[in-house]
Amino acid sequence: MDMQTLVDDIAAYAGAAAPAGTVADYIPGLSRVDPDRFGIAVAMNSGEVYTAGDADIPFSIQSISKLFTLALALDEDGDRLWTRVHREPSGTPFNSLVQLETEAGIPRNPFINAGALVVTDHLLDTAGDVRMRLLNLLRTESGNSEISVDPAVFASERETGHRNAALTHFLASMGNLRGSVLEVLETYFWQCSLEMSCRDLALAGGFLARGGVGADGGAVLAPRQVKRINAIMLTCGMYDAAGDFAYRVGLPAKSGVGGGILAVIPGRCTIAVWGPRLDRSGNSAAGIAALDEFTSRTGWSIF
Ligand code: GLN
């Protein structure tokens, strides 16, 4: 199979396959994006990168950042994190408050907002400088030293983040926050505002397809932690659509409301796709169609 032909075909197909869906509009920085953009990048474990469409245009990674903070938190403090956050699919929207109250302040998983806020708090407490650690990881693994935050998106996240503020205060009221509400929120908004392209994301996530081995051949994470992160991506990475995504695509993946999805084929490659129109669960409609096509044509689903 010729991988370049495949990604070219998918780029041509995906836009047309997903004309519906609406761009995230809770902040101007996201609503201004051209809804018909589409990019795909496949980074093979052997080093080749295949791209098509808008694969080099940076976009807001939003919740895909939760994947990288989880990797850093597990690397820094190992399994102690799991006393503060569970590992079960939520079946509720990513920003839901309801479950947190009925489950005594322990979020269902690290990829819903409540869980990601706990991960960021845990990392601030155990590692200190989260922003520098995260930037270092993303820049080193992607090879792109320009990766940074979009200041306009960051400012808007802070202005409009009432629900995230409510979640963080609630975590504090339930005794599941170690740092200050303000610092955790600021760090979380900052990580959501990072801008990366499909190429950057596919390369940055490469260690998840290589059993924890980083771009330079050193260990980013222990193999057992990578196995676990991939499992949590499979069960929780697409929020309450994780079941349907597993059915259609069959890969561990993490989405963000900027329209990006990073998917992992352990032992083989990572795939990053970007299409700003979102479905009702807040996942990229074109991105899901593209990944469905990718695993159907390659047979590279994990199932
Ligand atoms: N900044 C968004 C939020 O916190 C990120 C959500 C997402 O990408 N699903 O609500």
Side-chain angles (χ1 to χ4, degrees):
M1 174 187 32
D2 176 37
M3 185 56 72
Q4 187 59 51
T5 307
L6 179 65
V7 295
D8 286 340
D9 278 5
I10 287 176
Y13 155 90
T22 41
V23 174
D25 59 0
Y26 69 97
I27 54 174
L30 294 183
S31 64
R32 274 197 298 265
V33 173
D34 176 355
D36 295 319
R37 292 266 185 215
F38 179 81
I40 178 166
V42 180
M44 307 301 297
N45 282 4
S46 48
E48 301 95 353
V49 182
Y50 300 91
T51 65
D54 301 314
D56 286 304
I57 296 184
F59 58 89
S60 192
I61 70 167
Q62 293 292 326
S63 284
I64 303 175
S65 67
K66 296 170 181 172
L67 175 61
F68 296 104
T69 48
L70 176 63
L72 288 173
L74 291 176
D75 183 44
E76 185 64 35
D77 198 41
D79 294 340
R80 276 184 284 274
L81 175 70
W82 302 121
T83 59
R84 305 185 56 195
V85 55
H86 293 306
R87 305 184 291 263
E88 291 296 340
S90 69
T92 57
F94 60 81
N95 53 8
S96 173
L97 284 150
V98 181
Q99 213 164 41
L100 195 58
E101 173 151 38
T102 55
E103 299 188 359
I106 308 290
R108 264 298 170 96
N109 68 65
F111 292 154
I112 53 171
N113 288 13
L117 288 159
V118 167
V119 171
T120 295
D121 175 55
H122 197 79
L123 199 52
L124 281 166
D125 185 52
T126 55
D129 194 345
V130 174
R131 299 184 195 199
M132 227 35 244
R133 301 254 330 228
L134 189 51
L135 269 187
N136 274 344
L137 175 70
L138 298 175
R139 287 177 175 172
T140 307
E141 293 306 306
S142 68
N144 179 1
S145 57
E146 312 268 277
I147 290 171
S148 55
V149 149
D150 178 335
V153 170
F154 183 38
S156 306
E157 293 283 351
R158 296 159 91 185
E159 263 163 46
T160 60
H162 304 299
R163 193 171 271 263
N164 287 314
L167 285 166
T168 313
H169 279 289
F170 198 78
L171 287 164
S173 82
M174 301 300 280
N176 196 8
L177 205 75
R178 294 180 184 168
S180 81
V181 166
L182 206 61
E183 192 185 10
V184 172
L185 269 177
E186 288 280 306
T187 310
Y188 174 77
F189 292 143
W190 182 92
Q191 71 184 64
C192 285
S193 310
L194 284 161
E195 278 196 308
M196 293 170 74
S197 66
C198 289
R199 181 192 300 272
D200 294 334
L201 270 174
L203 287 167
F207 68 94
L208 295 168
R210 295 188 298 259
V213 176
D216 66 357
V220 170
L221 209 56
R224 61 202 277 268
Q225 299 292 24
V226 168
K227 177 186 81 172
R228 292 165 168 180
I229 291 179
N230 282 331
I232 299 168
M233 287 171 81
L234 183 80
T235 52
C236 312
M238 306 294 285
Y239 310 116
D240 47 339
D244 193 58
F245 185 83
Y247 172 83
R248 285 183 65 184
V249 177
L251 291 178
K254 183 74 206 82
S255 63
V257 291
I261 303 174
L262 174 60
V264 181
I265 308 186
R268 218 185 265 279
C269 64
T270 47
I271 311 157
V273 287
W274 174 48
R277 291 184 198 271
L278 306 177
D279 63 18
R280 287 169 64 177
S281 302
N283 299 318
S284 169
I288 293 176
L291 290 167
D292 184 352
E293 187 70 5
F294 186 92
T295 52
S296 298
R297 287 184 50 182
T298 56
W300 288 356
S301 146
I302 61 167
F303 299 106

